Amino acid sequence: MATIGATAFTLSGCGLLSGADGSNATGGDAGLEKPTIVIGSLPALSQAPVALAQAKGYFQDEGLNVKVQPVGDGPAALTSLLSGQNDISLGSYTAPIKAQATGAGDLKFVSEMMVSVPNNMNIMTLPNSSVKKPEDLSNAKIAISAPGAITDIGAKAALQERGVDIRNAEFVKFGFPDMLSALQNGQVDAAVMTEPFITQAAKNAGATTVVDCFSGGTSDFPVAGATTTAKFAQENPKTLQAFQRAVQRAQLTGQNRAEVTPLLPQFAKITPELAPIVELGKIPTSMDAARLQRVSELMKRFGQIGKEVDVSKMLVQPPPLEEAQPAGR
């Protein structure tokens, strides 16, 4: 996703939401170990539950002052988390799983933010391209966001499922904002795009989909979640549960797309014109170990990790869902 400025902005703790001291105005847990927490995140659609928790005052209800620190990409978010600059990181699961597999970090998943729906991640070409069908990609140069990223392993899995021999395909790194120009300039034959870049490319250049990467065997794929360190989870259990409760309430609210759409220009940095038409993805209301294990499976299949990580051991499950709905809200 596009890199934006490095200045943190406050999600709660100002205006009608709450005081800057993180005080709890409506009866949340006053005994939080860390009332102010910092979240590292890309300006991505998958940030929706956090943005909703901000807009609805759910963090304030829990006595939390949450600040979002913009990051350039998934690895940058993980680096900030491991260095202690951020308390929680939002993004895809590939970087945390790789860090866990290699011993670079001891990490915990604390919430699922988004699960795929059709047309969330597509292999795109231009109308005049020689690539017309999946088989045409067997010798193609294909843009991905980074080696080992979800665009890499997800696209490869989708192509293999369609019987495409990918041994001679070349997967090259491009930032999402640069993929359309790479197509137009002939630098690549196809590009693995996510929303909102899919909709932008179709609208601005007539780009078409060759493969919907989140269909068939890769449907309902875990796209993004919230990660923290085992150390933070151990030292701040009340704070973490407060965060999880607020996010759970937002996940329930987010089942209504009309609640999310008006917020998209602010947190996902897209135009108001695109906000109603992008494929948002599914906001889950629980963490599913079997679903998340699929990421580790694909990473092992495509050589990103030497052996599968048991993702169930990385989960810190949220409190029961009914506890995420305080009386009076």
Side-chain angles (χ1 to χ4, degrees):
M1 294 291 181
T3 303
I4 61 178
T7 302
F9 60 92
T10 305
L11 281 184
S12 67
C14 60
L16 57 83
L17 292 180
S18 66
D21 60 356
S23 59
N24 182 6
T26 57
D29 191 337
L32 302 183
E33 304 89 356
K34 193 171 184 180
T36 296
I37 61 173
V38 180
I39 298 176
S41 178
L42 295 138
L45 301 179
S46 54
Q47 194 183 315
V50 168
L52 272 171
Q54 173 260 326
K56 298 294 184 180
Y58 299 158
F59 288 129
Q60 177 207 6
D61 291 348
E62 295 290 344
L64 272 178
N65 184 41
V66 175
K67 299 178 180 179
V68 170
Q69 179 69 43
V71 296
D73 54 30
L78 181 62
T79 297
S80 296
L81 180 67
L82 293 174
S83 68
Q85 296 178 59
N86 298 329
D87 301 305
I88 293 173
S89 173
L90 304 185
S92 72
Y93 300 96
T94 53
I97 289 175
K98 188 165 186 175
Q100 194 75 19
T102 60
D106 189 2
L107 301 169
K108 299 294 182 183
F109 295 133
V110 299
S111 177
E112 285 195 66
M113 291 285 156
M114 194 153 285
V115 175
S116 73
V117 298
N119 295 309
N120 266 172
M121 188 173 81
N122 296 349
I123 303 179
M124 309 287 289
T125 61
L126 296 179
N128 61 353
S129 171
S130 60
V131 175
K132 303 295 184 185
K133 55 188 182 299
E135 302 82 59
D136 297 334
L137 293 164
S138 60
N139 295 290
K141 183 180 287 188
I142 304 168
I144 56 172
S145 59
I150 196 66
T151 52
D152 183 15
I153 62 174
K156 289 175 179 176
L159 288 170
Q160 282 190 343
E161 184 180 8
R162 289 158 177 79
V164 178
D165 185 347
I166 62 173
R167 288 176 295 178
N168 293 321
E170 183 181 358
F171 294 84
V172 293
K173 179 179 178 179
F174 279 89
F176 286 116
D178 301 322
M179 287 185 179
L180 179 56
S181 62
L183 281 172
Q184 293 172 322
N185 296 333
Q187 294 171 277
V188 295
D189 303 303
V192 186
M193 297 184 179
T194 60
E195 285 285 42
F197 300 99
I198 292 170
T199 299
Q200 289 172 340
K203 188 177 187 308
N204 297 334
T208 59
T209 296
V210 181
V211 176
D212 178 352
C213 296
F214 287 144
S215 60
T218 48
S219 61
D220 295 313
F221 201 79
V223 174
T227 306
T228 193
T229 62
K231 182 176 185 289
F232 182 88
Q234 183 177 11
E235 294 179 353
N236 302 279
K238 291 182 180 180
T239 300
L240 187 57
Q241 286 205 341
F243 170 82
Q244 290 175 310
R245 282 192 297 267
V247 167
Q248 282 184 299
R249 292 176 67 193
Q251 289 169 328
L252 291 174
T253 301
Q255 302 309 300
N256 180 0
R257 169 66 187 256
E259 295 279 2
V260 182
T261 297
L263 302 178
L264 291 176
Q266 175 188 351
F267 74 85
K269 308 304 179 187
I270 63 175
T271 65
E273 180 186 19
L274 286 181
I277 60 176
V278 295
E279 290 291 349
L280 180 60
K282 185 189 307 179
I283 297 177
T285 56
S286 64
M287 277 206 298
D288 187 326
R291 179 165 58 213
L292 293 174
Q293 190 64 35
R294 296 166 67 194
V295 182
S296 184
E297 291 170 359
L298 287 191
M299 293 179 71
K300 169 63 171 63
R301 185 197 302 180
F302 296 112
Q304 295 302 314
I305 53 178
K307 64 177 182 178
E308 276 193 47
V309 171
D310 184 351
V311 177
S312 68
K313 294 180 179 178
M314 296 178 66
L315 304 190
V316 178
Q317 288 287 356
L321 196 57
E322 59 269 17
E323 295 182 21
Q325 304 174 71
R329 294 293 295 188

